[in-house]
Amino acid sequence: MTLLTVTLAATLGSFLANAAFYLIVGKLAQRAEKKRTEHFQKLEAECLEVIKKEDERMRNYAKMEG
């Protein structure tokens, strides 16, 4: 009975340790993905702003040229 108890306790402890590890790693990966997504959206917004300014500049240039 003691060997069975020790084996079950070791198995349960190992399972809980692995589950906790994967939960922590998953949470850290989720945070990293969120930061990367926010950074990408910021870069995308800056790029669109530059494109809009360049488009406006070219339209003004075309008006000046006639």
Side-chain angles (χ1 to χ4, degrees):
M1 188 68 174
T2 304
L3 181 61
L4 180 63
T5 305
V6 170
T7 304
L8 288 174
T11 304
L12 180 62
S14 177
F15 173 76
L16 291 176
N18 284 331
F21 173 75
Y22 284 115
L23 285 173
I24 290 169
V25 168
K27 197 57 131 171
L28 292 175
Q30 190 178 33
R31 279 181 53 195
E33 180 69 24
K34 183 180 176 186
K35 283 183 180 181
R36 186 170 48 241
T37 302
E38 288 173 352
H39 180 70
F40 176 75
Q41 288 174 344
K42 179 183 173 188
L43 288 176
E44 186 179 29
E46 289 174 1
C47 183
L48 289 174
E49 184 178 328
V50 168
I51 290 171
K52 183 179 174 184
K53 286 180 182 179
E54 185 65 18
D55 183 53
E56 186 64 32
R57 187 182 72 81
M58 290 304 289
R59 286 179 193 269
N60 287 338
Y61 180 76
K63 285 180 186 175
M64 286 176 24
E65 290 294 316

